Amino acid sequence: MTSKPTHLDDSGAAHMVDVGAKPATRRRAVAGGRIAMSAEALAAIRSGNAPKGDVLSTARIAGIMAAKRTSDLIPLCHPLALTKVSVEFDWEETGVSVRATAETTGPTGVEMEALTAASVALLTLYDMAKALDRAMILSDIRLLEKSGGRSGDWRAA
């Protein structure tokens, strides 16, 4: 890790990091999170009977679309030519977990794209099921692993 924030210039002003001289390498990041909900909401999503329709398919597409738009949402993120984005869900006892993967070959990483995909997928799950449970809780949104680039591979403990 660097001791100086990379998105600040010498005068302390925010700037987009110049990655033009960095070599293009294969980059991959995986992010995850979860949404806890009532048994009623979970049952409706599992059975496909949620008021707004196919919740998981809609959330998957939303997550993929969000990853592609990360540079429009997060200031100073580079627009990336993503080669793969996937969003997968797992049933949990009290909700749903998400695992989003983003990949590219380029001079900068895809952690923000994976995190954005996971976050928007969870927000979409909330939106699609809020008529059943407004008290749903989104949590544990975090980077799970990344590979490629100068800093190499990393995996959450």
Side-chain angles (χ1 to χ4, degrees):
M1 290 277 181
T2 179
S3 59
K4 179 185 172 205
T6 59
H7 286 78
L8 299 179
D9 66 16
D10 291 335
S11 70
H15 75 104
M16 192 165 158
V17 175
D18 182 358
V19 296
K22 291 174 68 177
T25 61
R26 184 92 174 123
R27 313 286 186 130
R28 180 176 181 269
V30 180
R34 58 187 26 91
I35 185 168
M37 63 188 69
S38 68
E40 175 191 9
L42 185 59
I45 292 170
R46 281 189 95 142
S47 68
N49 292 323
K52 291 188 176 182
D54 186 348
V55 174
L56 295 185
S57 291
T58 303
R60 178 176 289 112
I61 292 169
I64 292 168
M65 290 175 64
K68 294 170 23 173
R69 301 293 304 268
T70 299
S71 65
D72 292 333
L73 300 169
I74 309 294
L76 310 178
C77 276
H78 293 85
L80 301 180
L82 297 171
T83 57
K84 177 183 179 183
V85 178
S86 65
V87 177
E88 303 301 328
F89 300 100
D90 285 312
W91 300 111
E92 295 186 346
E93 187 176 330
T94 60
V96 179
S97 65
V98 64
R99 183 177 176 95
T101 303
E103 296 181 14
T104 193
T105 299
T108 190
V110 289
E111 295 92 341
M112 294 308 299
E113 286 72 14
L115 284 161
T116 300
S119 299
V120 171
L122 290 169
L123 288 168
T124 302
L125 285 171
Y126 182 93
D127 181 57
M128 299 283 292
K130 68 185 177 203
L132 301 169
D133 181 6
R134 292 198 184 275
M136 290 179 282
I137 299 171
L138 284 70
S139 65
D140 302 322
I141 299 168
R142 66 186 188 131
L143 183 66
L144 299 172
E145 61 186 83
K146 60 85 65 190
S147 62
R150 182 183 55 191
S151 63
D153 297 352
W154 178 87
R155 178 166 276 161

